[in-house]
Amino acid sequence: MTSTTLASPQSTRRPGWRAWVAFSPLLVWLAAFVVVPTGMLFVYSFFKNAGYSEVERVFTLGNYALAFSPDYLGNFARSTAYAGLTTILCALIGYPVAYHIGRAPAGRRNRLLMLIMIPFMTSFLIRTFAWTTILDHQGVLNTLLRALQIIPVLLNDKFEVLHTPAAVMIVLVYTYLPFMILPVYGSVEKLDESLLEAASDLGAGPARTFVRVVLPLTMPGVGAGVLMVFVPAVAMFAVTHVMSGGTVYLIGDVIEDQFGSGGNLPFGSALGMVLLVGFIATFFLFTRREKTT
Amino acid sequence: MDKMVELRNVTKRFGGFVAVAGVDLDIRAGEFLTLLGPSGCGKTTLLRMISGFETPTEGSVHLAGQDVTALPPYRRDVNQVFQSYALFPHLSVADNVAFGLKMKKTPGDVIRRRVAEAIEMVSLAGFEQRKPAQLSGGQRQRVALARALVCEPKVLLLDEPLAALDAKLRRSMQIELKRLQTRLGITFLFVTHDQEEALVMSDRIAVVNKGKIEQIGGVEEIYHRPRTPFVADFIGQANILEARVLSCVGAWAQVLCRGDVGLTVAGEILAAEGTTLLSIRPEKIRLSSRRPAGENVLEATVHEEIFRGATDQLLLQTAGGFELTAIVANQSAAEEAFHQGDRVFCQLHPDDVVVLAREGGVNAVAARQT
């Protein structure tokens, strides 16, 4: 940092033309696939639906009125609840894992991180369908339960996790767990060992050291993890349909249907915009809280 | 005198590396003891076995008469000032200082009073609500000190706490720490590799080398009567000379050094035959232009003169090639000044020539004394 500030004091404040050139592919990509489509959604959300994916270019607030109507508030609420529960479970499962990796010796740390990354080498869809073979009636889980005589002694023979909300939760947690582990790991790794020693020296046992020193100092990582899990989890679709067999219908599914079989582009756009504003609000809420701590 | 800390035959091995090798150490209640040695000598490991961050491979640690070898750090009545200070970055100065008292479940009003006193003691009043990141290095160091002292530990352990400060601040903190320790009467165990720092602050110094205590004693004893070449060389400057023992009569011995230089030394510990090592502090060599009366007078030339500010360092050489380094007060205002090429008589008073043990630590010397 020192060398760049010495070389050109302005460089830290305003990027020069070289920086713009270096960033241009990213900027083009963002413009083409984020800014323009979002702008189109924004415009479409004020058009009138003409059915069968046709629109009437007439200004209306009707789509937003419908989005906030009691009919769809349930979907929003359910999505928020699923995403919220996913976030909590990811934090509870992911924190100890991240802590363990972060405190491991440097060599083992990288190997453990690899284990977290390996699932990314397989397509998300394949991983999801793999879960159906584990969770369905004749799947791995039930075979195991039968072998252990849990079926039929404790559970009846019709027992199946697939096609239940539990299956949706399992796949949501499974999918987003790495997004919690990685940022938490980042903040655990930065934790200065001597701080833990100082706490112990001052009379704090392991539990109180964790609550008073480790947890507060790794909260930024948890905050980032919450953001990275909650935001995409709210908008999750399709997977929910596969896992629940249609019994769990979330806001993501509703939006997907508007652009698909429902053929109501303006309403789908309005729902999308509402979600987007929600995300931005969440994001600012979190980043602001981090600055104050 | 009460023993506050007793280390009994303490050994610490890390894998195959022996960091501390069978150390016995008594720390007296209320004293300022310094563990002095080069980096990697095991002094920090010794400290960490007293604080509880390391468990001895062998031996035991006693604190105020109680065996604490198996107790975790949070159950020991000692506190440490860390080299990096280790202040909690998310807590204010006041909360950092209050941390230990809160852990001890001290009542809130007592915490408030004692935290205020501790912050006052280290002259940081007005900084209570600052975060560590908003303080200078010296201020952080004071917070670390207050945070440890507020717990009223039986022993305060200081692990090179001044190493990160600049030279000037370090010197004033040395004096301040020493005054604080004298006033509070708390036992201080200080670890440093800086011999000057050790001399300025300590009541006693334990010189640590290769996992063992080479010598332990009062600062003047350590300085004036080093027992081993390592101690003589590590603390201050020393001329270390190899000598052959010619004769040993009563309290005095005659020895012969390089270049046919014969010296009389206090020889009660010398064997009648064999070789030995001698140490002479450069500032104890007396120089004059005329031959003085008395023993151990050598005639030499000034081979090299080095200006060192308050002192001048002279390299002296006799006709036979025997060399000595002498340090004299800055000669600019001296009646007799010696410069490069000058002839000079130097006198080594027999009491100032210290006979060293050739090898081994305290035990080897102790064995010879009996």
Side-chain angles (χ1 to χ4, degrees):
Chain A
M1 207 190 97
T2 335
S3 60
T4 55
T5 43
L6 281 177
S8 54
Q10 311 96 310
S11 69
T12 52
R13 292 168 179 275
R14 223 182 310 153
W17 63 270
R18 280 170 223 272
W20 286 113
V21 170
F23 275 113
S24 57
L26 178 67
L27 295 177
V28 169
W29 190 87
L30 279 175
F33 298 110
V34 179
V35 178
V36 171
T38 307
M40 285 166 65
L41 275 189
F42 182 73
V43 174
Y44 264 68
S45 69
F46 294 104
F47 284 164
K48 231 175 172 168
N49 180 32
Y52 304 104
S53 300
E54 295 294 324
V55 296
E56 208 177 313
R57 291 166 192 267
V58 176
F59 179 82
T60 174
L61 287 174
N63 302 312
Y64 285 97
L66 188 59
F68 288 109
S69 73
D71 295 349
Y72 293 99
L73 280 182
N75 295 98
F76 275 111
R78 209 171 304 127
S79 280
T80 310
Y82 270 88
L85 191 56
T86 301
T87 309
I88 291 167
L89 289 174
C90 282
L92 290 178
I93 299 166
Y95 195 99
V97 176
Y99 187 80
H100 177 77
I101 299 175
R103 310 292 313 159
R108 200 167 66 191
R109 213 182 285 166
N110 289 334
R111 265 175 280 146
L112 290 170
L113 275 180
M114 269 305 292
L115 291 182
I116 305 292
M117 312 288 254
I118 280 172
F120 287 111
M121 295 174 185
T122 315
S123 153
F124 169 62
L125 273 177
I126 292 174
R127 283 184 284 142
T128 305
F129 280 107
W131 274 105
T132 65
T133 68
I134 294 172
L135 299 179
D136 79 4
H137 188 244
Q138 298 299 329
V140 179
L141 180 67
N142 278 19
T143 309
L144 188 70
L145 291 176
R146 274 191 211 99
L148 294 172
Q149 290 296 310
I150 293 170
I151 297 174
V153 178
L154 291 174
L155 297 164
N156 93 37
D157 192 47
K158 286 190 184 132
F159 177 78
E160 187 187 31
V161 177
L162 195 67
H163 306 135
T164 66
V168 176
M169 278 313 304
I170 288 171
V171 168
L172 281 173
V173 171
Y174 165 78
T175 305
Y176 292 113
L177 194 53
F179 296 95
M180 181 62 79
I181 292 175
L182 292 177
V184 174
Y185 159 80
S187 60
V188 170
E189 195 214 5
K190 272 187 273 167
L191 205 60
D192 183 355
E193 175 74 31
S194 68
L195 294 178
L196 308 189
E197 288 190 347
S200 180
D201 182 71
L202 292 165
R208 284 198 289 180
T209 300
F210 180 77
V211 172
R212 292 192 173 256
V213 179
V214 176
L215 204 53
L217 290 175
T218 51
M219 269 329 261
V222 176
V226 165
L227 212 58
M228 287 174 73
V229 171
F230 183 79
V231 168
V234 167
M236 193 68 154
F237 67 98
V239 172
T240 52
H241 196 82
V242 171
M243 296 313 291
S244 73
T247 56
V248 175
Y249 193 58
L250 299 180
I251 197 68
D253 300 309
V254 177
I255 297 174
E256 189 205 8
D257 284 349
Q258 302 315 311
F259 287 95
S261 56
N264 189 344
L265 302 189
F267 181 51
S269 303
L271 288 172
M273 291 312 294
V274 171
L275 266 190
L276 184 64
V277 170
F279 294 158
I280 293 170
T282 320
F283 182 78
F284 275 102
L285 204 76
F286 265 84
T287 46
R288 247 179 88 192
R289 246 196 52 193
E290 253 167 58
K291 262 177 216 158
T292 55
T293 50
Chain B
M1 208 173 291
D2 282 353
K3 290 171 187 168
M4 188 53 94
V5 178
E6 293 165 79
L7 298 186
R8 286 288 160 262
N9 195 25
V10 166
T11 295
K12 178 68 183 177
R13 282 188 284 269
F14 296 103
F17 176 71
V18 182
V20 173
V23 164
D24 283 290
L25 175 66
D26 289 339
I27 303 174
R28 300 166 186 160
E31 79 170 329
F32 194 128
L33 179 75
T34 297
L35 298 177
L36 174 66
S39 59
C41 71
K43 56 191 191 298
T44 296
T45 307
L46 268 174
L47 182 97
R48 288 170 62 83
M49 286 192 286
I50 297 170
S51 55
F53 297 125
E54 306 288 356
T55 314
T57 316
E58 286 162 32
S60 59
V61 179
H62 300 259
L63 180 64
Q66 188 201 354
D67 187 341
V68 298
T69 317
L71 287 188
Y74 53 90
R75 294 205 200 289
R76 296 189 188 195
D77 250 353
V78 298
N79 287 105
Q80 186 170 338
V81 177
F82 292 81
Q83 186 171 3
S84 60
Y85 314 141
L87 298 180
F88 303 122
H90 59 298
L91 299 180
S92 66
V93 167
D95 287 338
N96 262 286
V97 176
F99 194 93
L101 296 175
K102 278 184 190 158
M103 292 303 114
K104 284 185 187 163
K105 305 227 157 66
T106 313
D109 52 328
V110 179
I111 292 182
R112 270 189 296 281
R113 181 171 51 76
R114 279 172 59 184
V115 166
E117 284 168 5
I119 289 175
E120 180 70 35
M121 176 181 72
V122 295
S123 322
L124 278 178
F127 290 87
E128 288 86 349
Q129 296 316 314
R130 296 258 190 118
K131 291 277 173 72
Q134 298 166 300
L135 299 176
S136 71
Q139 289 167 337
R140 279 180 223 172
Q141 213 274 322
R142 288 159 191 274
V143 177
L145 197 60
R147 184 178 70 173
L149 282 174
V150 80
C151 300
E152 297 177 346
K154 290 207 169 80
V155 184
L156 184 72
L157 307 167
L158 303 107
D159 184 11
E160 307 227 11
L162 308 180
L165 305 179
D166 64 69
K168 199 160 185 145
L169 189 54
R170 191 158 67 228
R171 274 190 215 109
S172 72
M173 278 305 296
Q174 287 167 3
I175 308 285
E176 210 173 312
L177 266 179
K178 178 64 195 161
R179 283 189 190 138
L180 196 62
Q181 190 268 336
T182 312
R183 185 154 61 84
L184 297 175
I186 291 179
T187 311
F188 274 36
L189 179 63
F190 192 93
V191 162
T192 184
H193 63 270
D194 183 335
Q195 46 102 11
E196 190 194 321
E197 195 163 280
L199 293 173
V200 168
M201 294 193 288
S202 319
D203 295 321
R204 289 198 302 155
I205 295 176
V207 182
V208 185
N209 184 31
K210 292 180 182 157
K212 289 189 167 164
I213 294 179
E214 289 249 345
Q215 185 175 359
I216 181 164
V219 282
E220 300 205 10
E221 184 192 337
I222 291 278
Y223 186 79
H224 293 305
R225 296 274 143 210
R227 280 189 191 144
T228 66
F230 178 82
V231 175
D233 195 41
F234 195 77
I235 295 163
Q237 271 181 286
N239 292 288
I240 294 177
L241 315 170
E242 207 166 329
R244 195 152 55 82
V245 183
L246 296 177
S247 66
C248 199
V249 181
W252 305 99
Q254 294 295 323
V255 301
L256 193 65
C257 300
R258 261 188 64 188
D260 277 335
V261 172
L263 295 175
T264 303
V265 301
E268 71 268 27
I269 65 167
L270 274 184
E273 292 295 326
T275 59
T276 187
L277 289 174
L278 307 174
S279 161
I280 304 160
R281 295 286 179 202
E283 76 276 11
K284 296 213 174 142
I285 297 173
R286 289 163 217 184
L287 304 179
S288 57
S289 53
R290 269 163 297 169
R291 179 181 285 274
E295 290 165 302
N296 295 350
V297 177
L298 308 176
E299 195 176 348
T301 23
V302 177
H303 196 66
E304 192 182 38
E305 182 186 2
I306 296 166
F307 175 72
R308 294 177 31 141
T311 58
D312 285 336
Q313 181 177 320
L314 307 174
L315 181 65
L316 310 171
Q317 207 172 43
T318 68
F322 177 76
E323 285 188 347
L324 277 176
T325 299
I327 290 177
V328 294
N330 183 310
Q331 300 187 97
S332 59
E335 263 175 48
E336 272 191 326
F338 306 98
H339 302 293
Q340 201 159 325
D342 288 356
R343 294 188 60 72
V344 63
F345 291 97
C346 42
Q347 185 170 31
L348 318 174
H349 195 279
D351 283 338
D352 294 335
V353 182
V354 180
V355 178
L356 301 173
R358 190 175 261 290
E359 58 188 53
V362 179
N363 296 339
V365 173
R368 294 169 67 159
Q369 278 178 322
T370 51

